[in-house]
Amino acid sequence: MTHSFISKDRPYLYLLVFSCLFLLLTFFVIYPNDLRLQSLFSPCSNSGPSVAGPVSVKPDFRMLIGILTTPKTFERRHLLRHVYSKSLWPDKNVTDCLDIRFAICNNITNEEHLTMLELEIMAYNDIIILNCTETIFFDKTHSYFSSLPDIFGRDRPYDYVMKTDDDTYLRLDALVASLRDKPRTDMYYGLDIPCNNGTEFNFWIPAPFMTGLGYVLSWDVVEWMADSEMPLDFTMHPEDMMLGWWLQIGEKGKNRYSNIPAMYDFRGDDQEPNCNRHDLIPDTVAVHRLKENSRWSTVLKYFNVTHGLIKPSKLHCIP
């Protein structure tokens, strides 16, 4: 009796299986890129915190962008998440992988900040907690770079690692394009200072350096920073200046690239232009000093990030 029941219903089972296979085939034919879309938002390695899981194909270009921020600036982090999610445009190469994480020191004493930060980690899982003290000196930046091999592993999870600030806007497509043909070893990239024979400074600097608005190191230099004892002797000075000095003493970062004028500071109405501060330009890679929302609005409109979705309209009274 049981055998007869199964035999009778088996055609319906075949029909169900055939229908599922047909739907899968239709999905692959009509939406061939949808399964690969996750790689735009996924981490480049299997280690460390993950939002969408590891990529299914090994990317041709792998980069970690670390945004140094503070516990209290949760509104800025929320803005940046929106901005950079909209910056992963459809024409982006699917084999490029960009991880964007926020880096914060662990000496958090404010209960409100701690609660908000824990909620962020639960929601986004894109924050790296560092063993350091919030400061303008190099302790935090050194902690960021030197912690990465332990967090993500030493099997070269990234080609490049970037340090930037939460008042810097990066045009991700332009950044990747500017790095694509650069060496992936012993590389140091950013906005070189001094950029005008040192006339923009009225004090002595130990070595040329890339300004802290955003600079990039190849992964081998990051591993050197994690392993070398030398950098520990030079931490209580401005972070970008100290990095340039460290690399010079350690004879690292010999493949050096300064992307002037594409990386620069935002020029306010009352400021004169100079070699690292000027008006917005179409070929921008990074623009810095966006501490006010009004400046963010100016920059995002200039680069058409919002695409003018909201149009002013007249109010009409309904009789």
Side-chain angles (χ1 to χ4, degrees):
M1 194 72 164
T2 304
H3 180 272
S4 173
F5 177 79
I6 294 176
S7 300
K8 182 183 294 186
D9 281 12
R10 187 168 294 171
Y12 297 100
L13 179 62
Y14 290 156
L15 180 61
L16 178 62
V17 171
F18 177 78
S19 300
C20 291
L21 290 175
F22 179 76
L23 287 174
L24 283 174
L25 180 61
T26 304
F27 183 85
F28 277 110
V29 171
I30 299 178
Y31 305 107
N33 293 321
D34 278 15
L35 291 182
R36 305 176 69 191
L37 191 61
Q38 290 295 332
S39 65
L40 302 182
F41 300 92
S42 304
C44 306
S45 66
N46 294 332
S47 303
S50 170
V51 177
V55 294
S56 57
V57 292
K58 186 175 181 179
D60 295 333
F61 181 97
R62 299 168 299 169
M63 183 175 181
L64 171 66
I65 299 174
I67 304 172
L68 269 60
T69 182
T70 59
K72 66 180 181 181
T73 55
F74 43 85
E75 291 181 356
R76 177 60 51 80
R77 289 190 291 277
H78 197 54
L79 168 66
L80 291 171
R81 290 185 184 105
H82 279 294
V83 168
Y84 290 139
S85 68
K86 298 302 181 185
S87 296
L88 295 169
W89 291 295
D91 59 350
K92 180 181 177 291
N93 190 334
V94 77
T95 59
D96 294 343
C97 184
L98 302 180
D99 272 359
I100 301 178
R101 309 292 174 100
F102 298 98
I104 298 176
C105 289
N106 62 357
N107 63 328
I108 305 168
T109 57
N110 185 297
E111 285 296 326
E112 177 188 344
H113 297 164
L114 184 60
T115 300
M116 299 299 289
L117 194 59
E118 289 175 341
L119 287 173
E120 282 186 80
I121 292 173
M122 292 168 61
Y124 304 105
N125 202 18
D126 59 358
I127 295 176
I128 299 173
I129 303 296
L130 304 173
N131 183 22
C132 59
T133 302
E134 294 293 345
T135 175
I136 64 169
F137 298 123
F138 207 77
D139 175 54
K140 182 175 182 179
T141 302
H142 175 263
S143 179
Y144 164 64
F145 281 117
S146 62
S147 299
L148 297 179
D150 289 336
I151 295 174
F152 295 100
R154 291 180 176 263
D155 190 23
R156 199 177 182 87
Y158 302 100
D159 301 305
Y160 303 114
V161 175
M162 184 175 200
K163 173 267 164 186
T164 187
D165 295 331
D166 62 7
D167 64 339
T168 297
Y169 170 58
L170 302 172
R171 297 184 65 221
L172 299 181
D173 57 342
L175 175 64
V176 171
S178 69
L179 287 167
R180 197 175 297 281
D181 63 345
K182 301 297 186 291
R184 302 198 179 185
T185 57
D186 204 26
M187 206 276 294
Y188 182 31
Y189 164 105
L191 169 61
D192 209 358
I193 297 292
C195 59
N196 193 23
N197 297 321
T199 56
E200 69 270 32
F201 290 99
N202 56 6
F203 56 87
W204 174 80
I205 60 172
F209 61 94
M210 303 295 179
T211 182
L213 74 86
Y215 45 77
V216 179
L217 300 175
S218 55
W219 181 257
D220 59 306
V221 179
V222 172
E223 287 192 325
W224 169 77
M225 291 184 65
D227 297 334
S228 175
E229 296 290 336
M230 186 276 296
L232 299 179
D233 297 329
F234 302 90
T235 56
M236 296 307 295
H237 296 281
E239 51 96 7
D240 47 3
M241 185 182 297
M242 283 300 96
L243 178 61
W245 197 5
W246 287 359
L247 296 181
Q248 178 169 288
I249 295 173
E251 298 183 346
K252 299 294 182 181
K254 294 180 180 178
N255 295 315
R256 188 184 185 109
Y257 299 91
S258 180
N259 201 348
I260 294 178
M263 303 177 77
Y264 55 93
D265 285 347
F266 185 99
R267 185 176 80 86
D269 294 336
D270 58 343
Q271 294 177 307
E272 293 294 325
N274 60 29
C275 61
N276 61 357
R277 180 179 63 223
H278 53 78
D279 293 333
L280 300 174
I281 58 174
D283 294 332
T284 294
V285 168
V287 57
H288 184 224
R289 305 287 184 189
L290 307 181
K291 295 189 180 297
E292 298 85 19
N293 286 340
S294 59
R295 290 191 173 189
W296 276 97
S297 175
T298 298
V299 169
L300 296 178
K301 285 181 179 178
Y302 180 88
F303 294 111
N304 199 30
V305 174
T306 57
H307 304 291
L309 296 177
I310 301 177
K311 303 293 185 183
S313 60
K314 295 180 179 180
L315 292 176
H316 296 279
C317 296
I318 300 177

